[in-house]
Amino acid sequence: MAVAAALLTLRVYPIPLSGVVAALKRGRGLTGFLGAARSVRDPSGGLLPALAVVLGFSVAVFSLVMSSTVTRGAETAAWEATGAQVRVTGPTADDALVEQLRSVPGVAEVGRATVLASNVNLTGAVRADGVRVVVVDASLREIQQAAGQLTPLPAELVSDEVPVPVLTGGSAPQGSGLAEVSGGGEVRVVGHVDLVPGLSTPHPFIVVTAEGWERLGHSVQPGNLAL
């Protein structure tokens, strides 16, 4: 490809250069006209210099694109693994720990995310068996927005709508509409996410806020992760 580009350049470049010669011919100066005319009639260098320029330019552009791609990919992977600007894990991320973290200077908000141990079945507009439940604090959306590199949870998830809004995740089927959670009641599927950043999520799963899970009649046991 580089040889073809160099040969094409040597064939094509005399065309615009001939226009330059015609323009300089009508001028008063002699130096520019002679230089352009000589380049058209007797091009110096030939294929090898043109090939060197094409190869050098190609390698420079390819390296720049690859460097940007690798750097952006590494940054995205790091943000998805961390899930926030700061990730804290411990025995239990209870309310006392959350308040302690909020009192640290520079901490604007703290959110928790946990995977419940039991599985549920989803029927209705979206059907899936053996689904794990991921319970998150509503503040997690604000934290993800502040991170910059993360796609925040949709606003519909943290609303107080009835039925309780949920997201399907991972290998769970995508869809939207009313569904039924076994042992929980009616919910509304409002979207789909591939993962919850910062949390090792099983597949398939659904995401619901802690307030929504309590409205479904379940208690929320704090996990060990605070973002």
Side-chain angles (χ1 to χ4, degrees):
M1 290 179 65
V3 172
L7 291 173
L8 181 63
T9 301
L10 292 177
R11 288 298 187 103
V12 171
Y13 95 93
I15 298 175
L17 198 57
S18 298
V20 175
V21 172
L24 293 175
K25 186 177 181 179
R26 295 191 296 267
R28 293 178 177 273
L30 183 62
T31 305
F33 168 72
L34 290 177
R38 178 176 175 80
S39 297
V40 173
R41 296 178 181 179
D42 185 21
S44 61
L47 178 62
L48 289 181
L51 181 62
V53 171
V54 171
L55 283 176
F57 181 77
S58 302
V59 170
V61 172
F62 176 78
S63 301
L64 181 63
V65 172
M66 285 297 297
S67 176
S68 301
T69 302
V70 171
T71 300
R72 184 57 184 268
E75 290 177 353
T76 301
W79 276 106
E80 289 180 351
T82 306
Q85 293 177 333
V86 178
R87 184 176 188 271
V88 179
T89 57
T92 304
D94 54 13
D95 294 339
L97 176 62
V98 170
E99 292 304 320
Q100 183 180 359
L101 292 174
R102 282 200 180 107
S103 66
V104 176
V107 175
E109 189 54 86
V110 180
R112 292 170 293 185
T114 184
V115 180
L116 301 185
S118 58
N119 294 346
V120 299
N121 296 328
L122 201 61
T123 57
V126 179
R127 304 179 62 88
D129 296 331
V131 178
R132 300 293 289 273
V133 180
V134 178
V135 180
V136 300
D137 288 343
S139 58
L140 185 60
R141 183 174 187 272
E142 180 182 345
I143 294 168
Q144 292 174 339
Q145 284 179 316
Q149 297 278 0
L150 298 175
T151 301
L153 296 172
E156 294 82 0
L157 179 67
V158 299
S159 66
D160 296 330
E161 294 180 355
V162 177
V164 174
V166 301
L167 298 172
T168 56
S171 59
Q174 300 187 28
S176 61
L178 296 177
E180 190 85 13
V181 175
S182 59
E186 191 177 49
V187 297
R188 180 179 295 277
V189 180
V190 296
H192 182 89
V193 292
D194 294 328
L195 51 85
V196 178
L199 186 67
S200 177
T201 50
H203 299 283
F205 63 92
I206 61 172
V207 184
V208 61
T209 62
E211 295 81 358
W213 193 240
E214 290 175 348
R215 280 157 50 196
L216 290 174
H218 298 276
S219 60
V220 178
Q221 299 296 327
N224 65 343
L225 175 64
L227 302 172

